[in-house]
Amino acid sequence: MRTRHKALSDLSYAVALLVVAFIYISASDIYPVLPPLLGVLFMIFHISFKRRGYYKVIAVFLILGFYELDKDLVFGILPLVFFVVRYFIALRLEAMANENLFFVCLYVVGIYVFYIAGMLLSNILFGTPNLGFKPILIYYFIIDLLVTLAYVKIRKL
């Protein structure tokens, strides 16, 4: 009975996450200063994957897909970046020490660096002229980092 309750709780959390994210992504079309919050999505993905909350993981991938399609970005790079950052940065760092705020900063840096590298590689290989370095990316990174750090701090309370 407990596992069924946990599954329903995870499913309701995932559905609520999808609804809020779709509204937020749609609002970012109207207000372009809203950052994509990739760091928060990564932390939800990373923690859910570790705890086997696969509804939440699927919800995060649906959000990433919707974000890429909505913003006319190359489809599939963000989920790939999440897996690369999780397996090559997050798991290696957590093997050395427990998760702390410094590691969360490294996760967000890794997400943005690997995402920009993936977009540039896509531009070179496939000739997709989607990404040039724009100053708004620095703003997105700073706001995303602050929101992710706040999310982790609130989550630990």
Side-chain angles (χ1 to χ4, degrees), residues 28-98:
S28 71
D29 289 337
I30 299 169
Y31 304 106
V33 295
L34 292 176
L37 298 181
L38 297 177
V40 174
L41 286 174
F42 178 77
M43 291 307 299
I44 293 169
F45 162 74
H46 179 59
I47 292 167
S48 299
F49 202 88
K50 196 179 346 180
R51 294 183 180 166
R52 302 192 192 300
Y54 295 118
Y55 290 128
K56 296 176 191 175
V57 171
I58 291 169
V60 168
F61 284 139
L62 289 173
I63 292 166
L64 293 175
F66 180 73
Y67 178 77
E68 288 178 330
L69 292 174
D70 186 59
K71 304 301 181 199
D72 293 327
L73 301 172
V74 178
F75 185 72
I77 290 180
L78 275 173
L80 182 65
V81 165
F82 273 38
F83 274 115
V84 166
V85 170
R86 181 179 185 328
Y87 284 109
F88 292 111
I89 296 176
L91 292 181
R92 304 282 189 253
L93 291 176
E94 286 180 1
M96 291 187 300
N98 285 337

